[in-house]
Amino acid sequence: MSRTLTARVASEGVAIGPAAVIAAADVADDLATDRSFDDVAAATAARLTDAAATVRAEGRAEEAEVLEAYVLMAADPALAGGVATRTAEGAPLVGAIRAAVAEVVAMFLAMEDEYFRQRADDVAAVGRELVATVAGIDASPTTLPDGAVVCARDLTPADTVHLDLARVAAIATEQGGPTSHTAIVARAAGIPAVVGATGLLAALEADPAAEVLVDAEGGAVVVGPDASAREDASRRIEAAARVAAEQRTYRGRRVTFAGRRILVAANVGGRGDVDGAVEAAADGIGLLRSEFLFLERGDAPDVDEQRDAYRAAVEAFEDPTIVRTLDIGGDKEVPYLRLPREENPFLGVRGLRLSLAEPALFDTQLDALLGVADPHRLRVMLPMVSAVADLEAGSARLEERARLASTTPPPLGVMIETPAAALLAPALARRAAFFSIGTNDLTQYVTAADRTNAALGSHQDAANPAVLQLIERTCRAADAAGIHVGVCGEAAGDPAVAAVLLGLGVTELSVASGRIDRTRWLVDQLDAERIREVAHEALSLPDADAVRELVAPLLP
Ligand code: PEP
Ligand code: MG
């Protein structure tokens, strides 16, 4: 009998296939063991380190980063202390680990900052890894039928490391959210996935190999779909495959809009991302989020390490690489910098504000950037600019470091991601070499809606005419000053918004590497004249939904 469960989309697409249930082993709190926690923590860290190396070698960089963070968490002295207190009181090891982990999870959940609340899931996952080590469960490779739909309560890193993703058609889990490990793995591999499908394993109990349809567009899982649901899914899968095949033919093609070349560049925010961008034949890098070099480690990278990373990125492309200087603060934390706690970190000392307050940190980064031998293809961009004086201060610092190094500074641009920067665009354009619009933050600050707060999802739409008006102003200012304007926020990869952005005059869309083919295809299909008219009409509409409705008929 067919059963439909609602779920949350973690990675878009539709797929159908035989279920492959990955069941978590039951481990009792009082499992007998003579291992010490130190020994268990070390073994777990070693296992996760191996797992990180395995997935990194397969080019699964984002997953490797998660695993590397887990290694640090498994060795966390505070966790070890919590376990030691409990075992000293006579608790069995598994029970003590679970209680100590629960305490850390509760602490994270109580934090105001959404970023830390989400880390609670990671701590819980590390707890499960520690327990698995005590129980001697070594996630051995799971043999999957071809085109399997992997179903689980939640997928731990140990589960996914051994998954042969080439055989996985889709993933469905009962737990986890859009930022869970499952979602990261699925998105990186381009596999449709849903999370939060409550009741999935119970529905599969009678027939664990039942056919499962994952609708990661509408947000549903159907166990044992009937003939009409299967036919409908097959039609959608075929249509999507046809479009994907057509989009794939755009790899490496140059595209234009109204006769002007449009750069479809890559956003890079992790160690393996440059390789992904090269494979996707990106038109350079539109945003290199340099903070990834600083995250999940014990100290800041030195000049040489940073320079090598920037140089590798620049040398990988003929088109420019835009390196954004450190954007720490807000939802991006770096514990070893020991920054004071702020009531409103998104409105605090983040981005360029932090760089100017920490000159040693900023100078090291600028020196590394100046050490890149090819200044023509390197561009430097300042985040969180909200005043002309910000740009002047950043620019003065770069020029001073260049003077000391007897070299020429690379072109310096500004991220337009605060309402003030957009309103001051004419003044900024006279002093900046280029603009790149950060629609993620611009939307957050224009709508006064925290970008990490899931309850405010409907406010976080860059199609909002209030946001578009500021973008239009930015484009006009850039045009008048004769400087380049791109977009590097998520909206650049959203077809409806991307169309409007092009219509307003943007000439670069910087997107995740996985979206490059489809973005080029989109640019090439659009009727530039009509899109321009509609983009200007959109400015006076009441809301984002109205804009999307207006644009939808013009999209391929
Ligand atoms: C943005 O704000 O749109 C952006 C691209 O930067 P980040 O998401 O890193 O803040
Ligand atoms: Mg930003």
Side-chain angles (χ1 to χ4, degrees):
M1 202 190 63
S2 165
R3 273 205 62 192
T4 302
L5 310 163
T6 56
R8 281 202 282 163
V9 174
S11 172
E12 284 170 23
V14 179
I16 191 163
V21 176
I22 297 190
D26 278 333
V27 179
D29 271 359
D30 59 357
L31 177 82
T33 176
D34 47 18
R35 294 181 82 166
S36 70
F37 180 71
D38 284 350
D39 170 34
V40 167
T44 306
R47 186 159 54 77
L48 292 169
T49 304
D50 284 351
T54 306
V55 293
R56 192 173 283 293
E58 288 174 16
R60 291 154 68 179
E62 215 178 333
E63 210 180 327
E65 269 162 42
V66 174
L67 290 166
E68 281 154 9
Y70 285 9
V71 171
L72 297 180
M73 289 186 207
D76 180 16
L79 183 63
V83 176
T85 311
R86 288 168 173 86
T87 49
E89 287 165 357
L93 186 57
V94 170
I97 292 173
R98 287 195 174 128
V101 166
E103 190 178 45
V104 181
V105 166
M107 191 184 78
F108 274 115
L109 287 176
M111 289 188 180
E112 267 176 46
D113 191 310
E114 177 65 21
Y115 175 85
F116 282 115
R117 282 204 302 274
Q118 288 177 3
R119 298 289 73 77
D121 281 347
D122 296 331
V123 177
V126 171
R128 288 195 293 272
E129 296 293 334
L130 291 164
V131 169
T133 304
V134 181
I137 300 166
D138 182 19
S140 49
T142 323
T143 11
L144 297 172
D146 232 356
V149 174
V150 169
C151 299
R153 180 146 295 129
D154 196 9
L155 288 178
T156 67
D159 295 326
T160 53
V161 163
H162 296 291
L163 272 187
D164 179 0
L165 293 174
R167 305 180 86 98
V168 177
I171 299 174
T173 64
E174 293 198 340
Q175 294 175 351
T179 60
S180 65
H181 182 72
T182 305
I184 290 171
V185 171
R187 276 198 296 265
I191 295 171
V194 291
V195 294
T198 313
L200 175 63
L201 298 189
L204 283 165
E205 225 157 55
D207 179 6
E211 188 146 82
V212 174
L213 161 60
V214 171
D215 179 355
E217 276 167 4
V221 182
V222 187
V223 177
D226 61 21
S228 91
R230 279 214 304 269
E231 261 171 44
D232 175 59
S234 302
R235 259 196 310 275
R236 285 162 68 194
I237 294 166
E238 271 168 33
R242 264 196 308 278
V243 173
E246 193 188 331
Q247 291 172 345
R248 180 73 179 71
T249 67
Y250 277 78
R251 183 140 311 179
R253 259 164 77 171
R254 280 174 168 246
V255 287
T256 59
F257 181 87
R260 291 170 86 179
R261 179 169 182 218
I262 302 298
L263 292 176
V264 181
N267 283 354
V268 165
R271 287 176 193 274
D273 286 3
V274 172
D275 295 342
V278 170
E279 199 187 319
D283 299 328
I285 295 175
L287 169 65
L288 187 143
R289 290 181 162 102
S290 64
E291 48 288 349
F292 80 80
L293 295 168
F294 292 71
L295 298 177
E296 278 144 20
R297 53 189 289 159
D299 53 7
D302 63 15
V303 178
D304 293 345
E305 183 182 341
Q306 288 190 57
R307 185 199 50 232
D308 291 349
Y310 304 142
R311 183 179 287 162
V314 168
E315 288 178 351
F317 301 95
E318 274 170 31
D319 289 304
T321 285
I322 300 178
V323 177
R324 174 174 76 185
T325 61
L326 261 186
D327 187 17
I328 301 292
D331 60 338
K332 302 163 188 131
E333 300 275 341
V334 177
Y336 57 80
L337 293 180
R338 297 185 201 295
L339 303 174
R341 206 183 117 53
E342 294 181 306
E343 278 302 317
N344 291 298
F346 275 121
L347 303 179
V349 185
R350 73 170 280 202
L352 178 63
R353 297 169 180 178
L354 179 69
S355 293
L356 293 173
E358 300 277 344
L361 189 70
F362 196 29
D363 287 351
T364 304
Q365 181 165 42
L366 296 177
D367 291 348
L369 288 162
L370 290 163
V372 175
D374 186 345
H376 308 292
R377 283 184 291 169
L378 171 68
R379 309 259 188 283
V380 177
M381 176 159 75
L382 302 174
M384 199 58 190
V385 166
S386 60
V388 174
D390 291 343
L391 168 59
E392 284 173 343
S395 172
R397 201 86 210 162
L398 178 63
E399 272 165 31
E400 171 65 6
R401 299 312 292 181
R403 194 183 59 75
L404 291 173
S406 308
T407 182
T408 320
L412 183 67
V414 169
M415 231 171 137
I416 303 292
E417 57 179 344
T418 65
L423 291 165
L424 293 168
L428 289 168
R430 285 195 287 277
R431 297 161 175 86
F434 64 94
F435 285 160
S436 184
I437 303 171
T439 46
N440 306 339
D441 277 311
L442 186 59
T443 307
Q444 145 168 283
Y445 293 127
V446 168
T447 61
D450 180 342
R451 62 191 265 185
T452 64
N453 188 337
L456 299 173
S458 62
H459 293 272
Q460 291 146 359
D461 191 340
N464 184 328
V467 179
L468 297 178
Q469 285 181 37
L470 291 179
I471 293 176
E472 191 267 343
R473 182 182 172 84
T474 303
C475 290
R476 245 189 307 130
D479 188 47
I483 65 169
H484 173 85
V485 59
V487 174
C488 58
E490 289 300 306
D494 173 333
V497 188
V500 175
L501 295 170
L502 293 168
L504 294 176
V506 161
T507 53
E508 175 184 317
L509 297 170
S510 190
V511 299
S513 291
R515 294 193 160 167
I516 288 180
D517 292 343
R518 111 175 179 194
T519 303
R520 284 201 176 110
W521 169 81
L522 171 82
V523 175
D524 194 50
Q525 309 282 314
L526 293 172
D527 173 344
E529 208 169 308
R530 281 291 293 130
I531 291 288
R532 276 181 167 172
E533 283 164 22
V534 160
H536 288 89
E537 227 179 286
L539 302 175
S540 51
L541 290 178
D543 54 35
D545 287 348
V547 173
R548 289 184 181 279
E549 244 170 71
L550 178 72
V551 180
L554 300 179
L555 298 179

